[in-house]
Amino acid sequence: MAQAVRPERCVVAVDGPSGSGKSTVSRRLATAIDGIYLDTGAMYRAVTWAVLQADVDLTDTDSIIKVAQETDLSIGTDPRAPHFEANGVDVDAAIRGPEVTGAVSAVAAIPQVRAMLVQFQQDIIAGAPRIVVEGRDIASVVAPDADLKVYLTASAAARAQRRSAEDATDVAATEADLARRDKLDSSRAADPLQQAADATELDTTGLGIDEVVERLLDMLNSKVSK
């Protein structure tokens, strides 16, 4: 499969809500095309971690922007072992914790924070021959000229089951939290979560990871072979 999709340059944009399978699928797809992988959501989480470490009130927009501007992010884009550091600290585990999860939507809603991180993301994309980028505004804002744009979705129940299994949390509580984040992310003024007009929607409910990756590879082969 990797040999089937080997143009000099290839950008795949994968958007969708939490629990739709974006991360696992994007990493597998990046490996299959011998490319790199960028988790943009983790970038917002890393900045949120820095904001919480600085003990900044989540309603203090100016202070959050200042922390974001001063935070040194180091991003590992190997799909087999993605890695994040903030100000020299390994935050791979910390950014997935409940404190960051509860605060990230508020930080990510700030236009100045988004503008800064979008520019960072675009710089990474520009320097990569083949890359799979996942998030919530990739096809619409970050990489509008991507070779393939996919919007992954799944039923609320399936998404909650997946995320609960990953985090070892209560399914009902997880579903409520996902609904809360979906509402915040889709209603924010700056770059809301939405399906780009030219993105292909793929419902992953009931599909295995291998099947989803195969479908995306088929879509990508069709796009780049034209």
Side-chain angles (χ1 to χ4, degrees):
M1 282 300 182
Q3 294 303 315
V5 187
R6 286 297 301 270
E8 285 191 17
R9 179 163 174 75
C10 176
V11 180
V12 180
V14 181
D15 291 306
S18 298
S20 57
K22 295 192 308 296
S23 296
T24 303
V25 166
S26 295
R27 290 174 63 180
R28 292 274 293 275
L29 182 61
T31 299
I33 65 172
D34 192 24
I36 67 170
Y37 159 73
L38 180 60
D39 179 354
T40 64
M43 296 175 73
Y44 289 99
R45 284 175 171 270
V47 169
T48 301
W49 174 86
V51 168
L52 295 173
Q53 288 292 303
D55 199 25
V56 170
D57 191 298
L58 293 178
T59 63
D60 187 348
T61 300
D62 289 341
S63 293
I64 291 175
I65 294 170
K66 185 174 186 295
V67 171
Q69 292 171 335
E70 295 175 350
T71 299
D72 179 24
L73 292 182
S74 177
I75 302 169
T77 56
D78 181 346
R80 297 175 181 83
H83 178 62
F84 279 82
E85 291 185 1
N87 298 324
V89 178
D90 180 337
V91 295
D92 289 335
I95 62 175
R96 304 299 177 184
E99 189 175 16
V100 169
T101 297
V104 66
S105 290
V107 173
I110 298 172
Q112 293 90 334
V113 173
R114 298 199 70 81
M116 182 189 73
L117 291 183
V118 166
Q119 184 60 61
F120 193 176
Q121 293 154 15
Q122 290 175 335
D123 289 345
I124 293 172
I125 293 169
R130 287 173 299 281
I131 183 170
V132 178
V133 192
E134 65 136 311
R136 285 164 166 60
D137 62 345
I138 309 307
S140 57
V141 176
V142 179
D145 297 324
D147 299 281
L148 176 65
K149 302 178 182 181
V150 181
Y151 188 86
L152 293 187
T153 187
S155 69
R159 292 168 53 212
Q161 287 282 357
R162 293 170 183 171
R163 185 51 53 88
S164 179
E166 290 174 2
D167 301 340
T169 53
D170 177 74
V171 176
T174 299
E175 187 166 355
D177 184 60
L178 290 179
R180 176 190 67 82
R181 290 182 58 198
D182 287 349
K183 183 176 181 180
L184 288 172
D185 292 344
S186 61
S187 61
R188 65 180 177 233
D191 308 336
L193 166 64
Q194 60 184 357
Q195 181 179 344
D198 55 349
T200 300
E201 180 175 336
L202 178 58
D203 189 334
T204 64
T205 306
L207 297 179
I209 296 299
D210 289 342
E211 188 173 1
V212 176
V213 173
E214 286 294 327
R215 290 193 185 189
L216 296 187
L217 281 169
D218 287 343
M219 290 181 199
L220 185 56
N221 273 314
S222 176
K223 291 279 187 180
V224 301
S225 63
K226 290 182 179 179

